[in-house]
Every structure is written in C-alpha cells, then in structure tokens.
Amino acid sequence: MAVTATGEAVSDTIDVPAYVDRQPVGAFQIRVLLVCAAVLFIDGFDTQAIGYVAPAVAQEWKLARGSLGPVFSAGLLGLMIGALIFGPMADRIGRRRIILASTLVFGIGTLLTMFAPDTTWLIALRVLTGLGLGGAMPNAVALTSEFSPHRRRATLVMMMFAGFSIGAALGGLVAAALIPAFGWRSVFLVGGLVPLLLLPFLLNALPESIRFLAMLGRRDHEVAEILKKISPGVSFAARAKFVVQEPKLPGLPVAHLFAERRGSVTLLLWIVFFMSLLDLYLLSNWLPTVLNDLGVSVSAAAAIGATLQVGGVVGTFTLGRFIDRFSFRALSLTYLFAAAAVAAIGMVSHSIVLVTIAIFASGFCIVGGQIASNALTATFYPTAIRSTGVGWALGIGRIGSIVGPLVGGAMLARDMGAQPLFAAAAVPALVAAMAAFILARRD
C-alpha cells in the first residue's frame, strides 16, 4: 500500500480518474493547462490570420468583394479533415504525438503561406495549415480534461481554450501593426516561425494523457511518475497497478459515439458545434472586410474585428464557473444572448463605439459558448473515445465554419446591407440555443 505525504492511504490498485478527482488543482495541472494553452494560442493566431489580412490581399491582387470566401473555407476544410482524422488517431496512439505532429504541420503551412503567388496556392496552403490546426485542438482539449478533477474540469478546459481566443485577438493587433509597415505576408512569417520555435519546448514539457497510459495497461511506471507530479510526496508500491474503470472500446471509435444511448446527445452536440462555428467564422472572417466597406481603414478594421476574440477571452473566464454548475442550461442562455448581440452589430453599424461594443458582446457569447461546448463534450465521452468525440464534434462544426464564410461572401456579393447580413447571422445562434436547451432537459 502507498502512503501520501499527508498520510492518505493509497491502494495497490489505483483508479486513476478517481485519484485525480480527489486531488486539488496543483502546479503540474496548471503547467499542463498552460502548455496546451500555448499550442492553442498559436492555433488561434494562425486560424484567424487570413481574415485579418483579407482586405490587404484583396487590394494587392485586385480581387472583387467576396472572392476570398473559398480561401477562408479552404483553411476550414483542412481544419475539419484534421479534426475528423487526428481525433480518432489520438485515441489509438496518444494525445501527445498528435499535438506535436499537428504543431509542426500548421507551423510549416503558415510559413509557406507567405510565399503564395495567387489564390490557387493560397487555397492549397490553407488546407495544409488547417490539417495541423484541426489536429491540435481536440487533443489539447482532451489532454487538459484528463488532468483536471471533475469538479473543476469545465473551468480549467475553458481557461486553457482561452489561449485560442487570445491568439486570435492578438492576430488582429499584430496584423494592424505589421501590414502597414511590412505587408500582409509578414503576418504569416510570424505565425509560422512561432510554432516551429515552440516545438522543442513542447517536446520537453508536454506529458502524455495519464488516462491513455493507464488504459494501455503496460506503462504503470510512467503513470506512477505522473501521479507523483500531481500529488508530490506520494509513493506507490512496486506492484501498484493503475486502472481506468471504463471499458476498452474495440472497433471503429466513431461507431461508439452512437452506442450506449449516446447517439441523440452526439447529434445535438453536432448541431451546437455546426451552428456555433458557422456564426463564429462568418463573423471573424468577414468583420474586417465589412468594417472596411463602412469606411474604416484596414488596420483599424483588423483591430476592431479583434474585439470579437477579446470578448471571447472575457467570456471564457466569466462563464467557466457557471458551466461547471449549470452545464447546458447556462450554454443555452449564452447562445440566446449571442443571437441578440450579433443582430445588434448591424443595427448600430453607424457608430464605431456601439459596433465595437456589439462585436465584443458577440465574442463574449459565441466564443465563450463554443469553448464551453468543447469542455462539456470532453466531459461527456469516456476516455477511450474522448479525442474522437471532441474531434468529430469539432469536425462537424467545421462544416459550419466552411459554410459560414461562403454564406457571408455570397451575401456581400449581392451588396446586402449590414443590418440584414447580421440579422441572418443571428439565426444560427438561436438554433444552437435551442439544441443546448434540449441537451439541458436530458442532462
């Protein structure tokens, strides 16, 4: 029998999730959170970079309004494929390997984007970049979730995911500073170099999922070493066995998303993700262009558009405790307020101050709601299919994120005004609110 530094007896058979749930949030969990947040920080920067540089690209290449819609959607197509493929793969070979490989891919893809000579190459390189971006996100969510005690899981996952929103918001500020001085290609130079420079740090600092290792059943020494980092002072007997009281799920991981009464919840989660990401990417990709059309300079439009993600950061830290306590009920209300905030953007577009406030409120609710959805999804699925569940929810959501920019581009090509554009953009948020409400009734 093992004994902790506080005298707590530890059986020779240790249920890893139950053990983690009993521990306070300590330095090791915070380190895991920050490392995963750093990955998503760069992920957010590189994902949103194309939206911030779009007006400058259109001016340099003399492109018509709305013609960059396929470029936006190409990156999101890569994100979708990456999430659908690398989520299930991580459930087989580990979260850590996929996060490292994904960071390498999106770093190279972003760096190469600065050399794109035309829209054809830009589309191809955004697909490549998206593959890496899509693989990193669900595994960072799963890894953080698996190191977090249940009572704080949604809060910690949302805090980690705030790295994405901070990176996306900083992308707007960096673009506003770099484009006037060095041109739009400099944004991709920064976005490509940073993840490549981050890789050596990740190799040293990123642990493997403790639940994944325990379920393998042959790496008890590694599990013990990680648990000692979570709970300094604990010691385990040499014969200690580490288990996860969840069944191993053989066969195709995706099929298990619909087994054991998970099917209806899976479909409702997919609706939430589809509608939420449709709205998010419609706004994040086209807001700078719409603001530029209203007479705002390219750099100012990028900075104002970044308040969408700033609002998301604030929403993430504000909503975490409510999501832990009220689950899908809080999520439903969040998306309901999102619909009102998005519609308000078009109504107050005559005022820079008011439109900035409306964009901030939209980000607070939509980005905050999406991050809350990630956390709740990671909590719902068992370890054996957690990356698959999060990855496929994000992958289906990415279909919405592809549709969103195309819909926005089509409406802009028809010279729709700001008010009908944003009124239409409020509808997906309402649908997400309804789906979350149904999930709350089942919770």
Side-chain angles (χ1 to χ4, degrees), residues 32-42 140 144 159-164:
V32 172
L33 184 154
L34 292 175
V35 171
C36 290
V39 173
L40 291 196
F41 174 88
I42 307 302
T144 303
M159 288 174 64
M160 181 279 299
F161 211 96
F164 181 92

Side-chain angles (χ1 to χ4, degrees), residues 70-82:
V71 174
F72 297 152
S73 294
L76 300 172
L77 174 65
L79 279 158
M80 178 189 74
I81 296 170

